[in-house]
Amino acid sequence: MKKSLLIKILMMALAMVLVFALASCDIEEDDGYQDKEDLQDINKDLEDAKPSEGLKFKKGVDKDGTEYYSVTGRGDCKDAIIIIPAEHEGIPVTKIGGNAFSESQYDEEDGIPRLERVLIPESVTSIAHHAFAECESLQSIKLPDSLITLDSNAFEGCEKANALYIGNKVQKIAKAAFAGCKNIQVVYLPDTLTEMSAGVFQDCKMLGKVDFGNGIDFIPDATFYNCVTLQELDLPNNLVKIGADAFRGCESLMSFDIPDTVTSVGDRAFMRCMALEKITIPVSVETWGNFVTYFCKNLSSFVYEGTRAQYEAIKCYPPLSYEEDGSPKVVTPNQSLSMYLSIKATHVECTDGTFDIKQIMEDNGFMDSENLNPDAGKTEEKDEEAAE
């Protein structure tokens, strides 16, 4: 009897120790997304595969006199899985040419199958415009760690690709490089990335998480336009500007704390973020665009990390209007006008109190402004046209 009781006490003590140990550990929650290390192994099974035969190459010479080869097309290759060699005729393959593997260049009726997978070697430093555009059957995208420049529309419309790895040396990603890649779910941008153009991830409808790294200081126009699943953002530490339409149509985004390094937020930056309930604006913001939070129907108030006086000092130019002779009217910048145009927002929470946005507008003489549309909210289509 005593022995049985002792065993029970020991088991209870062990259980308590285990619970305490688990509670004390910093356990990282699984957010359901692949981590960067997993994505790095996307094409591991292809690394020892024999290079594809029949590919078309073009020799070039760099400014320093170094010879290289660029892959310019399929040539006679009719493989669904393409292995690009690191060398051709003993010379490094460093570039992939414009439209090289774009589906618009090939026809299945000619016996050329749709591209399903591609291995890009660790010798490639640049991928030109539309190189893999509209490759609708491409299953995944792995950019090598040697890559420095990714040109415009390089992988646009690769609808089936559900995994993306961006190499650790990429410095530039040009316009719409991954636009319309509807099944990509997570993106990790390297710290080396310092230049990114408009619409890079536009219409990536399954994109739920983005880790920016700390290389870029500007989120360009329409970067995540219509990324309707986007919820998790790890923003760069040195972010200065959020471009026009940057997060427009991100219908799953519920909150956004603008970093205290940001000085400018562009037109329609968060327009039609239907789930957005909270947005925090730091005192670092100096200019605020038009219709920034238009059609954010769950957004009832703003949190401003400064005083009302500081809030009113932020520059915002009202929507452009014209004189009878067609010349643009001279307008005075005013922050509260744009805030009012969020439709649902009625209050701004400042450090010295919570204030009614309409009252602020009246105090600043804007309630009778010709720029305010008396029919705002009656038809979404009309209002969205006015916001353009």
Side-chain angles (χ1 to χ4, degrees):
M1 185 73 170
K2 288 183 179 180
K3 186 177 180 180
S4 176
L5 181 61
L6 181 60
I7 291 173
K8 287 182 179 180
I9 292 172
L10 287 171
M11 289 181 66
M12 288 176 64
L14 182 62
M16 290 177 67
V17 169
L18 183 60
V19 169
F20 178 77
L22 289 172
S24 301
C25 291
D26 182 16
I27 300 174
E28 185 177 342
E29 293 185 10
D30 183 4
D31 58 9
Y33 296 105
Q34 288 180 286
D35 60 31
K36 190 172 182 178
E37 289 70 28
D38 290 339
L39 292 171
Q40 195 170 10
D41 292 335
I42 287 174
N43 286 333
K44 200 168 185 63
D45 61 316
L46 299 180
E47 290 178 359
D48 295 325
K50 183 181 177 182
S52 298
E53 296 181 359
L55 295 175
K56 189 176 179 181
F57 295 91
K58 181 179 179 180
K59 185 184 282 189
V61 181
D62 281 326
K63 292 179 180 179
D64 63 0
T66 304
E67 290 185 321
Y68 68 86
Y69 268 110
S70 174
V71 185
T72 59
R74 274 182 171 269
D76 296 325
C77 180
K78 295 185 178 181
D79 299 337
I81 299 175
I82 288 181
I83 311 298
I84 299 173
E87 290 185 349
H88 180 65
E89 297 179 345
I91 297 172
V93 175
T94 63
K95 304 178 190 300
I96 298 177
N99 291 294
F101 298 96
S102 173
E103 293 286 285
S104 62
Q105 305 293 305
Y106 307 102
D107 194 335
E108 282 188 284
E109 294 181 1
D110 295 331
I112 300 175
R114 290 194 175 276
L115 183 64
E116 295 177 6
R117 298 181 70 188
V118 60
L119 179 68
I120 302 172
E122 291 292 337
S123 57
V124 170
T125 58
S126 69
I127 298 176
H129 67 91
H130 297 88
F132 297 92
E134 311 300 331
C135 289
E136 297 178 356
S137 296
L138 189 63
Q139 298 170 15
S140 59
I141 300 166
K142 184 187 177 184
L143 303 182
D145 288 327
S146 57
L147 190 71
I148 295 173
T149 302
L150 184 65
D151 213 342
S152 60
N153 311 90
F155 290 89
E156 181 181 14
C158 295
E159 297 183 355
K160 190 174 285 188
N162 60 10
L164 168 64
Y165 174 80
I166 298 175
N168 288 322
K169 292 183 181 178
V170 172
Q171 297 176 14
K172 176 184 176 181
I173 299 179
K175 182 179 179 181
F178 301 104
C181 292
K182 297 180 179 179
N183 280 295
I184 290 174
Q185 299 175 32
V186 60
V187 168
Y188 300 95
L189 299 174
D191 291 340
T192 54
L193 179 65
T194 56
E195 185 178 348
M196 192 162 71
S197 300
V200 168
F201 298 104
Q202 181 173 335
D203 291 319
C204 291
K205 297 187 182 298
M206 292 302 293
L207 182 59
K209 176 182 176 180
V210 178
D211 185 332
F212 280 85
N214 290 307
I216 61 171
D217 60 5
F218 168 43
I219 299 177
D221 297 354
T223 298
F224 301 104
Y225 191 160
N226 280 342
C227 291
V228 296
T229 311
L230 186 61
Q231 286 186 313
E232 296 185 36
L233 293 166
D234 189 355
L235 298 171
N237 293 332
N238 57 340
L239 187 64
V240 174
K241 182 179 178 181
I242 298 174
D245 304 295
F247 295 95
R248 179 173 174 176
C250 292
E251 298 179 358
S252 299
L253 197 62
M254 297 184 68
S255 66
F256 196 97
D257 293 337
I258 299 174
D260 60 10
T261 52
V262 172
T263 60
S264 175
V265 178
D267 296 344
R268 305 173 302 275
F270 298 95
M271 182 175 175
R272 207 174 271 282
C273 290
M274 301 296 197
L276 192 65
E277 297 176 350
K278 176 189 174 185
I279 187 165
T280 301
I281 306 163
V283 293
S284 60
V285 173
E286 298 172 357
T287 58
W288 185 270
N290 291 309
F291 301 95
V292 172
T293 53
Y294 210 39
F295 288 122
C296 294
K297 296 188 174 183
N298 286 310
L299 185 64
S300 59
S301 66
F302 296 85
V303 176
Y304 180 69
E305 297 177 331
T307 64
R308 170 174 168 169
Q310 288 174 304
Y311 164 82
E312 292 181 19
I314 298 175
K315 294 178 181 179
C316 173
Y317 289 88
L320 193 61
S321 57
Y322 298 89
E323 304 286 358
E324 289 185 4
D325 62 1
S327 62
K329 287 185 178 180
V330 177
V331 293
T332 303
N334 184 278
Q335 161 76 353
S336 54
L337 178 64
S338 182
M339 290 299 198
Y340 179 71
L341 288 173
S342 67
I343 299 180
K344 288 288 184 180
T346 57
H347 293 82
V348 57
E349 300 173 25
C350 300
T351 54
D352 54 349
T354 299
F355 302 98
D356 185 286
I357 291 177
K358 286 186 180 180
Q359 186 61 52
I360 293 177
M361 292 181 67
E362 287 179 0
D363 293 346
N364 285 275
F366 269 83
M367 285 308 291
D368 297 324
S369 170
E370 293 179 12
N371 291 305
L372 282 178
N373 179 7
D375 296 321
K378 289 186 179 179
T379 62
E380 293 189 358
E381 291 79 8
K382 272 188 177 181
D383 288 343
E384 191 153 2
E385 285 177 14
E388 296 293 348

